[in-house]
Amino acid sequence: MKAEEIKKLDAYFKRTFNEKMVVKARPRKDDSAEVYAGEEFLGVVYLDDEDGDRSYNFSMAILDVDL
């Protein structure tokens, strides 16, 4: 993802969920970005650019020990 897209996603996560949310570029990957709550890794946002319709999918695993 381009830096401009990551900046927009970061603002969206902060506005929608919490000011502590941070979206960061992934090393060696250009189709996704990592999402953090402060220092804690939450999940990955993937870019879906199929058929010219651009969307983003957020994937977050929840471990049973965290419940």
Side-chain angles (χ1 to χ4, degrees):
M1 273 187 238
K2 296 178 182 174
E4 179 181 302
E5 286 177 300
I6 292 173
K7 188 175 180 180
K8 287 179 182 179
L9 286 167
D10 185 69
Y12 173 81
F13 274 90
K14 284 179 178 3
R15 182 176 65 248
T16 304
F17 298 107
N18 187 314
E19 279 294 317
K20 293 182 181 180
M21 303 291 277
V22 179
V23 180
K24 298 180 182 179
R26 293 180 73 191
R28 300 177 300 277
K29 300 280 184 180
D30 61 355
D31 65 341
S32 56
E34 297 177 344
V35 179
Y36 292 82
E39 297 288 321
E40 185 176 349
F41 175 78
L42 291 182
V44 179
V45 177
Y46 295 95
L47 171 62
D48 183 359
D49 196 11
E50 215 171 287
D51 301 327
D53 293 328
R54 208 166 179 88
S55 64
Y56 303 90
N57 298 309
F58 177 55
S59 178
M60 177 178 162
I62 301 170
L63 303 175
D64 65 342
V65 297
D66 291 333
L67 299 177

